[in-house]
Amino acid sequence: DAGVIQSPRHEVTEMGQEVTLRCKPISGHDYLFWYRQTMMRGLELLIYFNNNVPIDDSGMPEDRFSAKMPNASFSTLKIQPSEPRDSAVYFCASSLVGQETQYFGPGTRLLVL
Amino acid sequence: GNSVTQMEGPVTLSEEAFLTINCTYTATGYPSLFWYVQYPGEGLQLLLKATKADDKGSNKGFEATYRKETTSFHLEKGSVQVSDSAVYFCALSDKTSYDKVIFGPGTSLSVIP
């Protein structure tokens, strides 16, 4: 079975540019989570969806961040405009309702210059 | 609110040494408890879990027991290997909040030959 797929794996961009991160959850999973990991702040939950509907976006740092899940097999996290402090590893994870275990993708390493 | 506290790292051990990583939690109700592991350059993956008091989770030689009286879920391994070098995250599930998982800050382990 394919796990959670994220693209791109690495992204280098300049401040002010738009960045779009992509995630394909495991087929059949009901939940999708976006996390950000940095040395200073550790692992932070940004937003999560249940059946494509955003449930809690209280972790989204500011209006520059937005996330969508147009269907059960695809989600995007967009940063516009990007800033150097957005440099981090962004993880997507999915899970089945009631099973609690989250399955993580390999992450996207974002560097904003 | 719910939270997880872990011992601070980094932890450095010699191969075949005994490992303990302490984890305590604060939660309402009866959460499930988890240990996730993150190998260098990868996403998190579930190592073991326990869903109720006195349950013992185990996998790959690692063990942890759900202690409700001390609100703890300490990770142990009798003999670590170089391949166990990773970051270990203690976590709990908030069963009242759509399967959301709360992660601790992580503990980095380095095992030297």
Side-chain angles (χ1 to χ4, degrees):
Chain A
D1 280 344
V4 175
I5 299 172
Q6 292 187 247
S7 64
R9 293 293 309 277
H10 303 272
E11 178 81 25
V12 180
T13 190
E14 292 188 345
M15 183 174 61
Q17 296 298 306
E18 178 179 294
V19 175
T20 299
L21 312 181
R22 298 173 176 79
C23 174
K24 177 178 170 57
I26 293 173
S27 177
H29 279 195
D30 309 279
Y31 287 102
L32 184 137
F33 305 83
W34 281 102
Y35 293 91
R36 178 172 68 176
Q37 185 177 41
T38 61
M39 289 294 292
M40 291 298 295
R41 301 174 67 92
L43 191 67
E44 303 172 276
L45 176 64
L46 301 177
I47 184 171
Y48 69 102
F49 297 82
N50 176 233
N51 290 326
N52 314 337
V53 176
I55 300 300
D56 183 352
D57 65 354
S58 60
M60 296 285 263
E62 48 198 275
D63 291 346
R64 297 185 296 107
F65 286 69
S66 62
K68 294 182 180 179
M69 192 165 185
N71 58 62
S73 59
F74 183 67
S75 177
T76 59
L77 178 68
K78 185 176 294 187
I79 308 172
Q80 168 63 20
S82 58
E83 297 183 3
R85 60 192 166 124
D86 302 331
S87 297
V89 182
Y90 291 81
F91 289 103
C92 176
S94 68
S95 69
L96 272 172
V97 64
Q99 290 198 1
E100 300 176 309
T101 301
Q102 293 189 10
Y103 296 83
F104 282 73
T108 295
R109 284 154 180 76
L110 173 65
L111 177 61
V112 182
L113 301 174
Chain B
N2 296 344
S3 66
V4 176
T5 303
Q6 291 180 237
M7 63 185 287
E8 290 197 17
V11 174
T12 302
L13 295 173
S14 297
E15 206 165 20
E16 299 184 2
F18 185 86
L19 169 70
T20 299
I21 300 178
N22 291 336
C23 170
T24 58
Y25 67 90
T26 301
T28 54
Y30 304 94
S32 294
L33 301 175
F34 309 85
W35 279 100
Y36 280 78
V37 59
Q38 183 181 27
Y39 298 104
E42 299 183 9
L44 282 71
Q45 58 185 274
L46 180 69
L47 179 59
L48 54 84
K49 66 187 274 189
T51 58
K52 61 182 186 296
D54 300 325
D55 267 2
K56 177 185 286 187
S58 61
N59 186 26
K60 299 181 181 180
F62 291 89
E63 292 183 341
T65 301
Y66 190 141
R67 302 288 188 197
K68 189 173 186 297
E69 64 275 14
T70 55
T71 62
S72 65
F73 193 55
H74 304 320
L75 182 68
E76 297 182 335
K77 187 175 185 182
S79 176
V80 294
Q81 305 299 313
V82 172
S83 57
D84 295 326
S85 298
V87 180
Y88 293 82
F89 293 86
C90 186
L92 65 82
S93 69
D94 181 352
K95 294 180 180 175
T96 63
S97 183
Y98 289 91
D99 290 304
K100 181 177 172 180
V101 174
I102 297 169
F103 289 90
T107 301
S108 175
L109 169 66
S110 293
V111 180
I112 55 177

